[in-house]
Amino acid sequence: MATNPPKPIVVWITRRSWVLAVFLFEELGLNYRIKSFRFDDVKKSPFIDVNPNGRVPAIQDPNTDITLWESGAIYQISSLLHRLTYTTLKEKHQCNQWLHFQMSGQGPYFGQCGWFQHLHPEKIPSAIERYASEIKRVLGVLEGVLAAKPATARWLVGDKMTFADMAFVPWNFRLSEVLVQPWDEVWAGMPHRAMEIRARLMDEQGLQWNGVPKGIETFTEYEAKIAARET
Ligand SMILES: N[C@@H](CCC(=O)N[C@@H](CS)C(=O)NCC(=O)O)C(=O)O
């Protein structure tokens, strides 16, 4: 995968997975094109022909004929490009370790919590509690490690941002939605985080935590407003 691929890498996303694409591909400065589609269509053609597991994100690089799915595999592009990573042995393995923890420890628990909170046909409090407490535990692990680092280098590995830090952002960004709790509450007790700065900047710009302008309650309402503006 070249830094400046002549043909754009196609990034398949639904609204739920935009963060990875924007964050990783923008940070790497890669030539890419978003192929956004409806979440309801993840298990249908044409997406299922790209990712037989029917989950976003997935990417297709027409320059190398590489198709990749699983966000962990996509983050490894950083390693290939030697960007947002380390090339030293210890740090390289540490980046890998945190990525594995994200894939096995953060993603599935956050995902299941979201499922039992929002999509499961029955309300099963014990399942919600189990996953919500795992979320808090995982956040505690990250917090403990970051809090022990010097204030100028609060990154999971070494003293700079790597793909390991980035991998945790998309789910953390949706924490309020997953736990069905206000933004301030879900982050209580976790002071060492860029999210605080983000929240302040968003607030100054008249935006809510999810990027929707203040005064607009739902994404549906927001989409309708945007559509009305575009017509
Ligand atoms: N381990 C996968 C998980 C991807 C995943 O769960 N994506 C969700 C959206 S955030 C999805 O596509 N769900 C569709 C479905 O479960 O049918 C990864 O990290 O890429």
Side-chain angles (χ1 to χ4, degrees):
M1 217 156 280
T3 311
N4 261 323
K7 293 188 209 154
I9 297 173
V10 180
V11 183
W12 293 75
I13 50 167
T14 62
R15 195 182 69 211
R16 291 165 192 243
S17 54
W18 68 268
V19 182
L20 174 133
V22 174
F23 201 15
L24 182 68
F25 284 80
E26 286 291 329
E27 281 293 325
L28 288 174
L30 285 174
N31 182 11
Y32 74 97
R33 167 168 77 83
I34 288 180
K35 188 135 180 150
S36 179
F37 65 106
R38 284 167 51 84
F39 187 67
D40 297 351
D41 294 336
V42 281
K43 297 282 189 283
K44 297 180 194 157
S45 201
F47 185 63
I48 199 83
D49 306 320
V50 176
N51 178 0
N53 192 34
R55 289 193 163 196
V56 282
I59 64 163
Q60 290 176 300
D61 182 357
N63 307 282
T64 55
D65 200 25
I66 293 176
T67 295
L68 279 182
W69 39 275
E70 281 296 318
S71 56
I74 297 170
Y75 277 111
Q76 301 270 10
I77 293 172
S78 287
S79 296
L80 289 177
L81 297 175
H82 302 302
R83 303 256 326 273
L84 299 167
T85 186
Y86 279 91
T87 49
T88 40
L89 190 68
K90 182 171 93 176
E91 284 80 12
K92 215 159 75 172
H93 282 293
Q94 286 173 340
C95 285
N96 208 16
Q97 165 206 281
W98 284 111
L99 184 61
H100 275 272
F101 178 53
Q102 192 281 323
M103 298 303 299
S104 64
Q106 193 212 34
Y109 288 117
F110 280 51
Q112 290 304 316
C113 191
W115 170 268
F116 281 106
Q117 287 277 23
H118 298 286
L119 300 171
H120 197 65
E122 277 171 71
K123 271 275 163 268
I124 307 178
S126 57
I128 295 173
E129 271 159 37
R130 157 77 183 154
Y131 290 118
S133 77
E134 273 302 299
I135 287 180
K136 296 280 178 185
R137 198 186 62 74
V138 168
L139 289 174
V141 172
L142 296 172
E143 177 63 15
V145 169
L146 294 175
K149 307 255 330 213
T152 49
R154 286 219 164 92
W155 305 106
L156 291 173
V157 181
D159 58 4
K160 63 172 189 183
M161 182 174 83
T162 64
F163 68 82
D165 301 284
M166 295 170 71
F168 287 90
V169 172
W171 270 121
N172 279 353
F173 174 73
R174 296 180 56 202
L175 202 53
S176 195
E177 184 187 335
V178 169
L179 290 173
V180 196
Q181 274 179 6
W183 187 254
D184 288 343
E185 247 173 59
V186 294
W187 289 107
M190 318 257 168
H192 304 292
R193 57 177 205 267
M195 295 295 187
E196 238 169 33
I197 300 169
R198 176 186 175 278
R200 181 173 49 76
L201 293 173
M202 300 272 282
D203 187 61
E204 281 169 16
Q205 290 171 37
L207 302 171
Q208 302 173 64
W209 64 271
N210 54 6
V212 173
K214 289 177 191 173
I216 298 180
E217 293 300 320
T218 63
F219 268 109
T220 318
E221 196 185 328
Y222 189 34
E223 279 165 359
K225 280 214 182 253
I226 293 170
R229 220 180 292 149
E230 280 169 359
T231 50

